Amino acid sequence: MTRMANRTNPAGNVIHTIDLSKHFDAVRAVDELTVAIPKTGITSIVGPNGSGKSTFVNLLSGTLPIDGGIVIIDGVGLRVVKAHESPQHGVTRTFQEVRLFDQISAWDNIMVVLTERRLLPSLFERLRPAHREKAERILMEVGMWERREAMAGELSYGQRKLLEIGRAMAMDAQTYLFDEPFAGLFPQMLERVKEIVIRMRDEGHTLIFISHNMDIVRELPDHLIVLDSGKLLTQGEVHEVLSRDEVIEAYLGE
């Protein structure tokens, strides 16, 4: 982990980037992006395919290495963000392609996070009552208690989404990065995920999610970041941003 002296971080922001960049050959997926994400409320990141949304989240979580610029998390400036160190900074995430241990139960997928955090050692670690209580609470909160003994690989797509959110919750992070948490969900499951996100916000967590679902984007977040070709097009309060001509012309087609 490479740190640097703290630089100005706007008050009330949990994450602030300065000239953040990621290139894939000649493609500037994230192009000197300077953006601030509030600590309170829900922030949504939107933009067309290829605008850099997932790459941006991958850089914030350490899933991809940074080519240039700085990420400031709660006042700590980082030129290198490593995925395994993200929890130390109070950050965790989910993926657009759900990542679970398919060969073990939903219950054990949560226990891996709560205990050793490596698959085999966690299965043989002696469980403490606190671990069991927390796993039960998380599975209840995401609506997966009745499916706790099912193998993760046997769950439906929506149930897998819920379980991955539960695994993220088990990390006890301040900031949650959700990559397309609503994509492909039936209406009932979509409403359940919305309820979880709102509850986490009300508990004081920072929620940041990517979405192409403009109905969700209009309804759920408090703050909106619009990307275009790896650059910041605009950001601000949702209703204000969605009323701007450049956003309407570029993304909403209205």
Side-chain angles (χ1 to χ4, degrees):
M1 174 174 59
T2 301
R3 294 174 183 249
M4 55 162 290
N6 289 358
R7 296 179 59 171
T8 301
N9 187 26
N13 293 325
V14 67
I15 294 175
H16 180 210
T17 68
I18 301 173
D19 296 334
L20 188 65
S21 298
K22 182 65 183 179
H23 303 159
F24 298 102
D25 296 323
V27 177
R28 296 176 177 266
V30 173
D31 191 7
E32 298 184 349
L33 182 62
T34 297
V35 66
I37 299 176
K39 189 167 188 175
T40 59
I42 301 171
T43 296
S44 182
I45 303 170
V46 301
N49 290 332
S51 62
K53 303 183 301 297
S54 289
T55 301
F56 178 46
V57 166
N58 287 339
L59 295 177
L60 296 181
S61 62
T63 308
L64 285 174
I66 295 169
D67 287 341
I70 303 160
V71 175
I72 302 172
I73 303 176
D74 264 346
V76 177
L78 304 169
R79 293 192 184 276
V80 175
V81 180
K82 297 181 179 179
H84 69 276
E85 293 177 345
S86 290
Q88 298 175 23
H89 303 297
V91 177
T92 191
R93 67 165 300 173
T94 65
F95 293 83
Q96 186 172 356
E97 299 285 338
V98 178
R99 300 185 183 186
L100 300 170
F101 291 116
D102 287 345
Q103 70 274 30
I104 62 175
S105 68
W107 171 270
D108 285 331
N109 264 275
I110 300 296
M111 296 307 300
V112 167
V113 179
L114 293 178
T115 55
E116 179 69 25
R117 298 190 182 177
R118 290 181 294 160
L119 181 56
L120 288 177
S122 72
L123 295 178
F124 294 100
E125 182 177 339
R126 184 174 181 179
L127 302 182
R128 288 179 260 171
H131 290 154
R132 294 181 179 277
E133 291 170 6
K134 188 169 183 179
E136 179 176 349
R137 175 177 57 80
I138 290 170
L139 288 168
M140 292 285 287
E141 286 182 359
V142 299
M144 287 296 294
W145 177 248
E146 299 300 324
R147 297 287 284 157
R148 63 190 180 279
E149 296 181 0
M151 295 296 105
E154 299 173 355
L155 298 174
S156 70
Y157 176 76
Q159 290 170 340
R160 289 170 61 80
K161 285 267 193 181
L162 293 174
L163 182 57
E164 189 183 36
I165 291 172
R167 280 170 52 90
M169 292 169 62
M171 298 292 290
D172 281 333
Q174 168 60 39
T175 301
Y176 292 83
L177 306 170
F178 292 158
D179 193 347
E180 293 284 3
F182 306 102
L185 298 180
F186 291 115
Q188 183 178 3
M189 195 67 72
L190 188 148
E191 289 299 320
R192 181 175 294 177
V193 174
K194 282 169 52 179
E195 291 171 2
I196 293 169
V197 169
I198 291 169
R199 183 169 65 244
M200 294 174 72
R201 178 202 64 191
D202 292 346
E203 291 171 353
H205 298 290
T206 305
L207 284 299
I208 303 163
F209 72 88
I210 296 171
S211 183
H212 284 94
N213 186 325
M214 293 310 297
D215 290 333
I216 294 290
V217 169
R218 289 185 179 96
E219 173 189 357
L220 196 57
D222 308 288
H223 185 83
L224 195 59
I225 294 172
V226 184
L227 300 183
D228 183 17
S229 299
K231 292 182 176 292
L232 177 67
L233 180 63
T234 188
Q235 66 175 331
E237 293 187 3
V238 175
H239 297 299
E240 179 188 355
V241 168
L242 292 180
S243 67
R244 293 175 186 168
D245 291 341
E246 64 269 30
V247 176
I248 295 172
E249 292 174 6
Y251 302 113
L252 304 184
E254 298 177 356

